Amino acid sequence: MTSQRSMLVTSALPYANGPIHLGHMLEHIQSDIFVRYHRAKGDQVYYVCADDCHGTPIMIKAGDMGITPEELITQVGLAHKADFDGFLISYDNYYRTHSPENQEFSTEIYKKLRDNGFITTRTISQLYDPEKNMFLPDRFVKGTCPRCGAKDQYGDNCEVCSATYDPTDLKDAYSSISGAKPVLKDSVHYFFDLPKFNDFLKDFIQNSGAVSESMANKLNEWFEQGLKQWDISRDAPYFGFQIPDTEDKYFYVWLDAPIGYMASFKNFCDKNGVNFDDFFKADSDKELYHFIGKDILYFHSLFWPATLKGSGYRLPNGVFVHGYVTVNGTKMSKSKGTFIQASTYLKHLKPECLRYYFASKLTDEAVDIDLSLDDFQAKINSDIVGKIVNLASRCAGFITKRFEGKLAAEPFDNELMEKLGSIAETVNKGYASRNYADAIRAVMSLADEANRYIDREAPWVIAKEEGQDDKLQRVCTDGLNAFKAIITYLSPVLPEIADKAREFLNTDLAFDDAAKPLLGHTINKFSPMFTRIDPKNIEAMIEDSKQDLKDAASKSAKADDKAKAKDGAESGASEYEPLESEITIDDFAKIDLRVATIIKAEQVEGAKKLLRLELDLGFEQRQVFAGIKSAYKDADALVGRQVIVVANLKARQMKFGLSQGMVMAAGPGGEDIFLLSPDSGAKNGDRVH
């Protein structure tokens, strides 16, 4: 038997300003299966996480709600923990970054970095909200894109043409907090000198084995561009930890967020007599693994290792990266009810359904996983109910009624018993390497074999034959031992069903003894372990998710009203966009709006936001590139639709081709874009007056 391993496993920290959704759950389920597997193998595993509590968004949201940031993160933290408990996530400690332990570690690490010469300062110019008296993060500045002219774009990138830029490049910029026009203001900022770690990081990424080859190749883009100093400070007002020896500077949330792993573990260690230093000292022989999403790869594979190295702490053994979750082939949508909160899911479906479905799709690569709800229902009903639980149900009654619950002293089919152990190597390798899909396939292949065996031997037929009790008992014993092996192999994925199986089989489920048959052993009466998914439950979940959106909008509106009352009418705040400056009828007459029909619509290769439209204006045909892809995934469905187009807009040469106009649409953006159409009877080429 291999020696016991000792490891610390973490999941990325959910941000404490909103609910957990099924996209979050992918990561926590992935890491929980890994942890449960290693615990089942006898390894010592500590498993921690925490809420990421700092930053401007939390400060602003708390203000809108009329509560303190501390009150907000307490409320959210309780909800997050309830969601993770509901999905059977087995954390040893779930904590928060706004904690004395995290402040102590953040301060200590910063001072070590400073004293070791890795912190510099310089004056930078930033946009400042003169009404709220605060510097504005990029995402809280909006304005007109300097490249394509789209309005209401964020301060760092345009969602229409995908351009990236500095907030100061925006035209007609305004604060999304107050609506005020921001001004430039100088401020001294603190920077972590990441370029000094260039050679160390290259070696860590390429040679340590902590990062997969595909992710290492992705990180090489940063080295090709050249590493830049990392701004780790923010100006007051800010919800976070104050930087030592400053009056109005705070640690940027991403400086103290990963340190939250250390803080959560330290909090656990102090309560349970575990030696923290054994796990985080520079020469630690313990294992450290981080599970993260691909959107935060750079923070965990560049900034975090450099921070640890520069302050004298150990490095992670592995940074395991997963992809995103889509639902029914598209990005999760609030309007379609597929942006599903964890708590909403749990009202209608069992947690192990999602655990099993995700596990059946997860590999060690950062590929996106689609939650196809039809496939989800079919797979759960077929696999968990039809092939696993039903296997036990088909055999248990005969053992209970005919043999007083006692299994046979020997198997009937030794070949089947040998097959129970033949998949052990594949299953172990799959779990250990996080190729859960391989492990699931191997187990379900065994389940298929066991069910074919029961179908072939037909104990319900044997039970009617004279003098066949011995065969009946042995065949059913074989079926139940196959069930025991299958549910033991799946216990990291299906922990509640495994607990019910332990009760039913009247035995522990030791992972390394999964294939060891129970012989001459007395079992308990079988009770239902799982029920089929009813399509009505999925439909109800979708409808509830739509209601969640309405409720959130209502709360937001109430918060806006409260904020307006607090700030007074002079603030000019409104739930609607402010009107543009007045124009005359002559100004309006310059815009030539025409009716057109879309005769062709297609995706644009290499463009995240654009669709290429061919328009029939009656008197001519034109090509237009429109930033509506996020709202109209099925481009073909647009063919034949009449739209309104700005016909006299100067043509613009884009890298994808010449755009000869602009189609008119309403809405805030993203998935909420709605093309404008004329009433029936309008003809192509008609002018809009």
Side-chain angles (χ1 to χ4, degrees):
M1 185 175 177
T2 57
S3 59
Q4 184 190 55
R5 296 164 62 181
S6 185
M7 63 182 72
L8 172 63
V9 177
T10 77
S11 296
L13 314 184
Y15 201 48
N17 72 334
I20 299 296
H21 55 69
L22 297 194
H24 293 120
M25 287 314 311
L26 174 66
E27 178 176 300
H28 298 267
I29 288 172
Q30 183 189 33
S31 57
D32 185 71
I33 292 171
F34 182 81
V35 167
R36 286 181 182 271
Y37 164 71
H38 280 285
R39 286 174 175 165
K41 294 289 289 182
D43 296 326
Q44 180 189 64
V45 186
Y46 298 111
Y47 184 31
V48 303
C49 192
D51 275 341
D52 182 5
C53 298
H54 291 153
T56 302
I58 285 174
M59 180 182 70
I60 291 173
K61 182 171 183 177
D64 290 343
M65 295 172 65
I67 60 177
T68 65
E70 288 84 357
E71 290 172 322
L72 173 61
I73 63 176
T74 297
Q75 292 177 13
V76 173
L78 291 172
H80 285 184
K81 183 60 166 58
D83 289 339
F84 294 135
D85 288 345
F87 273 96
L88 314 176
I89 309 301
S90 56
Y91 286 120
D92 290 303
N93 200 45
Y94 193 84
Y95 203 39
R96 59 188 177 276
T97 58
H98 191 66
S99 68
E101 294 91 345
N102 202 28
Q103 183 164 23
E104 181 179 342
F105 279 125
S106 298
T107 299
E108 175 208 338
I109 287 173
Y110 165 77
K111 287 182 176 179
K112 286 181 177 178
L113 295 175
R114 181 193 63 189
D115 295 346
N116 289 332
F118 300 128
I119 301 295
T120 64
T121 61
R122 67 173 181 267
T123 300
I124 64 172
S125 295
Q126 290 178 279
L127 292 179
Y128 185 84
D129 187 326
E131 290 190 12
K132 291 295 185 180
N133 295 315
M134 62 180 292
F135 286 96
L136 293 168
D138 296 349
R139 301 294 283 183
F140 288 89
V141 181
K142 284 191 170 184
T144 301
C145 172
R147 180 177 295 179
C148 74
K151 296 183 180 298
D152 299 311
Q153 299 306 304
Y154 288 113
D156 53 359
N157 76 287
C158 176
E159 292 189 331
V160 175
C161 72
S162 301
T164 58
Y165 40 74
D166 292 326
T168 51
D169 295 332
L170 278 176
K171 299 177 181 177
D172 306 317
Y174 66 92
S175 165
S176 63
I177 302 171
S178 70
K181 181 178 180 179
V183 297
L184 273 176
K185 189 173 181 180
D186 289 344
S187 176
V188 174
H189 271 232
Y190 291 69
F191 292 82
F192 176 47
D193 202 347
L194 192 65
K196 288 185 176 179
F197 294 85
N198 186 82
D199 293 342
F200 155 72
L201 287 171
K202 277 187 176 180
D203 181 67
F204 173 74
I205 290 164
Q206 297 293 337
N207 302 318
S208 70
V211 181
S212 71
E213 183 178 354
S214 60
M215 293 298 101
N217 292 336
K218 182 69 177 175
L219 288 164
N220 279 335
E221 297 174 6
W222 279 58
F223 294 109
E224 292 170 0
Q225 297 170 7
L227 298 181
K228 296 179 175 59
Q229 290 186 337
W230 179 35
D231 189 346
I232 62 166
S233 64
R234 293 295 184 267
D235 294 277
Y238 190 82
F239 183 58
F241 295 140
Q242 192 168 344
I243 297 178
D245 306 317
T246 70
E247 293 183 1
D248 59 353
K249 308 294 178 183
Y250 290 79
F251 289 127
Y252 172 45
V253 59
W254 264 109
L255 186 283
D256 66 65
I259 297 174
Y261 300 138
M262 300 170 67
S264 184
F265 186 53
K266 183 65 162 63
N267 179 259
F268 171 81
C269 290
D270 289 346
K271 293 177 181 177
N272 294 276
V274 178
N275 191 320
F276 172 88
D277 292 335
D278 283 351
F279 284 81
F280 275 97
K281 61 186 179 182
D283 59 350
S284 173
D285 61 353
K286 311 295 185 184
E287 301 172 48
L288 173 62
Y289 299 107
H290 300 307
F291 283 79
I292 64 165
K294 61 185 178 182
D295 56 325
I296 53 176
L297 171 67
Y298 304 127
F299 290 106
H300 282 79
S301 300
L302 293 174
F303 303 139
W304 177 230
T307 299
L308 291 168
K309 181 70 173 177
S311 55
Y313 284 104
R314 59 87 47 80
L315 302 172
N317 297 88
V319 178
F320 302 142
V321 186
H322 63 80
Y324 301 131
V325 173
T326 58
V327 179
N328 292 336
T330 62
K331 183 179 178 182
M332 291 192 296
S333 166
K334 293 181 178 179
S335 60
K336 295 177 182 177
T338 57
F339 191 93
I340 303 166
Q341 295 180 16
S343 58
T344 305
Y345 172 99
L346 290 170
K347 291 177 184 176
H348 302 282
L349 296 166
K350 293 182 180 295
E352 286 169 308
C353 297
L354 191 69
R355 289 176 66 97
Y356 181 82
Y357 191 81
F358 279 164
S360 73
K361 304 282 186 180
L362 276 163
T363 70
D364 63 346
E365 291 295 330
V367 295
D368 295 346
I369 290 180
D370 183 50
L371 175 58
S372 166
L373 294 174
D374 288 340
D375 180 51
F376 169 74
Q377 176 189 327
K379 182 181 285 290
I380 298 307
N381 290 345
S382 172
D383 289 6
I384 299 182
V385 180
K387 297 179 181 180
I388 301 173
V389 175
N390 195 44
L391 177 62
S393 175
R394 297 168 85 189
C395 301
F398 295 111
I399 295 294
T400 303
K401 295 174 184 177
R402 299 282 286 266
F403 307 104
E404 297 181 341
K406 191 170 184 178
L407 300 176
E410 58 181 352
F412 182 74
D413 190 319
N414 287 309
E415 184 178 346
L416 177 62
M417 293 302 99
E418 290 175 4
K419 288 181 179 178
L420 302 185
S422 65
I423 67 168
E425 183 177 352
T426 301
V427 172
N428 278 296
K429 183 178 179 182
Y431 283 132
S433 63
R434 303 168 322 286
N435 279 302
Y436 303 156
D438 286 352
I440 298 293
R441 277 193 294 271
V443 175
M444 293 316 300
S445 176
L446 176 61
D448 287 336
E449 179 75 18
N451 279 285
R452 283 194 296 268
Y453 169 73
I454 295 300
D455 289 340
R456 183 174 68 248
E457 297 299 336
W460 49 90
V461 175
I462 300 172
K464 298 176 183 178
E465 298 174 351
E466 290 285 340
Q468 295 295 313
D469 279 4
D470 179 64
K471 181 180 179 181
L472 175 64
Q473 186 182 25
R474 291 166 66 190
V475 167
C476 291
T477 295
D478 288 352
L480 291 176
N481 277 310
F483 167 74
K484 169 183 170 289
I486 291 164
I487 198 59
T488 302
Y489 288 135
L490 289 177
S491 59
V493 180
L494 306 173
E496 279 193 343
I497 298 178
D499 285 343
K500 293 177 181 178
R502 289 185 183 94
E503 174 65 24
F504 159 59
L505 294 172
N506 193 28
T507 186
D508 193 16
L509 300 178
F511 205 89
D512 287 335
D513 291 333
K516 184 178 179 180
L518 298 173
L519 299 173
H521 174 81
T522 301
I523 64 171
N524 294 315
K525 184 178 179 181
F526 179 84
S527 298
M529 296 182 181
F530 212 77
T531 55
R532 297 173 62 83
I533 293 179
D534 188 326
K536 292 180 181 178
N537 291 341
I538 293 179
E539 294 169 6
M541 177 181 69
I542 297 300
E543 290 306 310
D544 270 8
S545 295
K546 292 178 180 178
Q547 186 61 45
D548 289 341
L549 173 63
K550 294 178 182 177
D551 292 345
S554 177
K555 288 181 181 178
S556 177
K558 289 178 181 178
D560 286 345
D561 290 342
K562 191 172 184 178
K564 290 174 192 174
K566 182 178 179 180
D567 291 342
E570 71 277 9
S571 67
S574 171
E575 61 181 304
Y576 298 101
E577 282 183 43
L579 290 172
E580 300 290 347
S581 56
E582 284 187 353
I583 63 173
T584 66
I585 189 65
D586 294 332
D587 293 325
F588 178 72
K590 295 177 183 178
I591 304 173
D592 193 342
L593 301 177
R594 298 291 178 119
V595 176
T597 296
I598 300 174
I599 57 176
K600 187 174 183 180
E602 62 185 12
Q603 309 281 346
V604 180
E605 185 175 353
K608 296 181 179 179
K609 309 290 184 182
L610 300 177
L611 293 181
R612 190 184 78 85
L613 307 178
E614 289 185 15
L615 305 177
D616 180 3
L617 277 76
F619 51 86
E620 67 180 27
Q621 294 183 1
R622 293 189 186 180
Q623 171 179 269
V624 169
F625 290 92
I628 60 174
K629 181 177 179 180
S630 59
Y632 296 94
K633 303 289 193 310
D634 183 5
D636 291 339
L638 293 174
V639 175
R641 176 167 176 171
Q642 282 193 314
V643 292
I644 306 298
V645 60
V646 182
N648 65 333
L649 185 68
K650 184 178 179 181
R652 183 164 67 94
Q653 183 65 49
M654 305 175 71
K655 72 174 183 178
F656 307 108
L658 186 68
S659 186
Q660 302 167 289
M662 179 183 291
V663 293
M664 305 295 289
E671 294 184 352
D672 294 324
I673 298 174
F674 308 96
L675 287 173
L676 302 185
S677 298
D679 204 348
S680 58
K683 302 186 298 295
N684 292 344
D686 283 354
R687 185 163 185 174
V688 179
H689 298 280

